[in-house]
Amino acid sequence: MTHPDRSDSAPAVEYHWIITLDGHAGADQNQVTVGGSGTEEIRPGSITRQEICDTLTEQIKDEFLKRTGTLLENPNVLFFSIEPNQL
């Protein structure tokens, strides 16, 4: 998930993320809520939270399409969090 225009010599840090989207799907435009979670190694300063959120939104939309055969349209972010994975 690193941005190609930015470089930093800082070591990568493992981050845990959670995202929940609300959107519409299918011919009837049913309201659906989907989400996911995971970890990513990211060098601090190499990407913005907005870029990560946008990337994860596209990832969740792609996974929804693969799983259901239906597009997730007009997704809204209900919840997004990304934090260092070390406590």
Side-chain angles (χ1 to χ4, degrees):
M1 252 193 235
T2 59
H3 192 282
D5 298 334
R6 299 185 189 123
S7 62
D8 188 4
S9 60
V13 174
E14 185 178 62
Y15 289 87
H16 180 260
W17 57 267
I18 299 171
I19 190 167
T20 305
L21 305 175
D22 179 43
H24 296 91
D28 295 335
Q29 290 293 288
N30 294 319
Q31 185 174 359
V32 296
T33 303
V34 296
S37 64
T39 58
E40 292 287 335
E41 288 205 3
I42 302 168
R43 278 192 330 270
S46 66
I47 191 168
T48 67
R49 287 176 55 86
Q50 183 64 54
E51 290 169 326
I52 293 169
C53 186
D54 292 344
T55 299
L56 291 173
T57 298
E58 290 304 314
Q59 180 181 318
I60 297 296
K61 286 173 56 180
D62 290 346
E63 290 171 4
F64 184 81
L65 177 59
K66 287 177 189 173
R67 190 173 66 246
T68 67
T70 305
L71 292 173
L72 177 63
E73 299 181 52
N74 304 315
N76 294 303
V77 177
L78 296 177
F79 180 79
F80 172 63
S81 178
I82 186 164
E83 302 289 336
N85 204 28
Q86 298 292 319
L87 296 177

